[in-house]
Amino acid sequence: MPLHDDRPDWERDGRDWPHRAASRFVEAAGLRWHLQEFGEPDAPGLLLLHGTGAATHSWRGLAPLLAARGFRVVAPDLPGHGFTDPLPARHLSLPGMAEAVGDLAAGLGLTPRLVVGHSAGAAVLARMCLDRRIAPDLLVALNGALTPFPGVASFLFPGIARMLFLNPVTPKVFAWGADRAAVRRLIDGTGSRLDPQGLDLYRRLFTRAGHVAGALGMMANWDLPALSRDLPRLDTRTLLIVGGDDKAIKPEDAFTLRERLPDARVELLRGLGHLAHEEAPERVADIILAEAGAAQATPA
């Protein structure tokens, strides 16, 4: 695994991080993790996992809304992302990521009743449920990356990411080119529109080669066909929230997936893209909490 020393620095890049007062660093699974925690420590647990290339800032609008409804909300930076250490190469896979997050949850004494994952974060949570590392009442996938890319892309995409990841120059080149205009184009390409703060936070991360390497390494070792084969065994109640304008993952994929899951439904959010929870956190929170109530996963 290439080493990239230019990782996001908490005192430099995190100086005005959203909800900085909610941040702390813990040791688990051999890593130093950055996480944010909201709500009362003895409240029912809620675990948030961001997607590839993001960090805890992705939940800046949603996490406080969920905590206000009586949950203990825990949101970590995934390994190699944001301010969390990267995983060793031998563990850099979907099961390896699921195991590491499971160890973190156990170390925190967190037994989540509700889990919410965006994009690749939803895949990690699904793997954790399948592997019985967690047993929540409800799994919410926000534009979840739960099925393989269509056609030849399912073979080419991980291979290209792996080739880029193994080239130590690639993350540095990407980071050098991550100016405001480039980041806006990247976010616009997902079908989402973010405010200036949201764009600046992504730009701040993308200018650090270590964060870019973490995102590439995650994609390079993602085996979605294996997860897809196991999904019919996912007996956790599942809500698939889909942005109608998502350009990163086809919205119709969620409706196809729904038919393969034992207990799932789809909620389509028209006018929102891949980062729907950042564009309209209040709208997303209302949907999550309504479903949690129906699943009896809300605090008494």
Side-chain angles (χ1 to χ4, degrees):
M1 177 179 178
L3 295 176
H4 299 283
D5 294 331
D6 187 21
R7 294 202 47 75
D9 178 80
W10 183 240
E11 297 308 320
R12 174 190 60 196
D13 303 302
R15 62 193 181 280
D16 57 350
W17 201 249
H19 308 297
R20 183 181 167 102
S23 288
R24 63 188 176 107
F25 290 83
V26 301
E27 303 285 337
L31 306 179
R32 184 175 186 258
W33 300 72
H34 168 249
L35 60 87
Q36 294 191 324
E37 191 163 346
F38 306 83
E40 297 299 323
D42 56 350
L46 194 165
L47 177 62
L48 295 176
L49 293 188
H50 64 76
T52 307
T56 49
H57 76 281
S58 187
W59 306 115
R60 63 193 179 280
L62 185 60
L65 296 174
L66 299 175
R69 293 293 294 270
F71 285 100
R72 174 196 178 192
V73 177
V74 176
D77 286 346
L78 288 173
H81 289 68
F83 306 98
T84 294
D85 290 345
L87 279 169
R90 64 186 182 279
H91 296 307
L92 195 55
S93 64
L94 182 50
M97 189 79 71
E99 180 180 2
V101 176
D103 288 348
L104 172 65
L108 295 172
L110 179 69
T111 305
R113 292 182 60 185
L114 174 58
V115 294
V116 180
H118 171 243
S119 195
V124 176
L125 291 173
R127 186 74 264 168
M128 292 173 71
C129 290
L130 287 164
D131 295 345
R132 306 302 182 192
R133 297 189 181 280
I134 52 174
D137 297 314
L138 176 65
L139 162 63
V140 178
L142 302 170
N143 293 309
L146 298 171
T147 55
F149 296 97
V152 70
S154 65
F155 301 100
L156 287 180
F157 183 76
I160 292 172
R162 189 173 297 112
M163 178 179 65
L164 295 174
F165 172 67
L166 291 173
N167 184 343
V169 176
T170 302
K172 295 179 181 178
V173 171
F174 186 98
W176 289 334
D179 58 16
R180 284 180 172 81
V183 171
R184 180 178 289 279
R185 287 193 299 272
L186 182 65
I187 298 300
D188 286 353
T190 71
S192 287
R193 299 292 183 269
L194 298 186
D195 61 19
Q197 182 198 29
L199 291 172
D200 178 69
L201 290 164
Y202 277 105
R203 183 200 60 79
R204 198 179 300 181
L205 293 176
F206 291 157
T207 56
R208 303 304 171 195
H211 178 82
V212 176
L216 286 173
M218 191 171 178
M219 290 186 289
N221 291 275
W222 229 230
D223 187 357
L224 286 178
L227 175 65
S228 182
R229 287 192 296 270
D230 288 343
L231 284 177
R233 296 193 291 105
L234 182 65
D235 53 9
T236 307
R237 180 170 178 154
T238 303
L239 174 63
L240 305 169
I241 299 180
V242 183
D245 292 345
D246 190 349
K247 295 179 182 179
I249 298 174
K250 294 189 300 181
E252 55 266 33
D253 288 353
F255 292 92
T256 302
L257 176 60
R258 177 187 62 187
E259 304 307 314
R260 300 179 57 227
L261 295 176
D263 185 6
R265 77 173 189 89
V266 177
E267 184 81 27
L268 179 65
L269 299 181
R270 300 187 186 279
L272 298 176
H274 191 61
L275 300 169
H277 61 293
E278 295 191 47
E279 297 178 274
E282 295 87 357
R283 188 174 169 189
V284 172
D286 287 344
I287 293 169
I288 292 173
L289 291 167
E291 189 72 16
Q296 298 184 332
T298 52

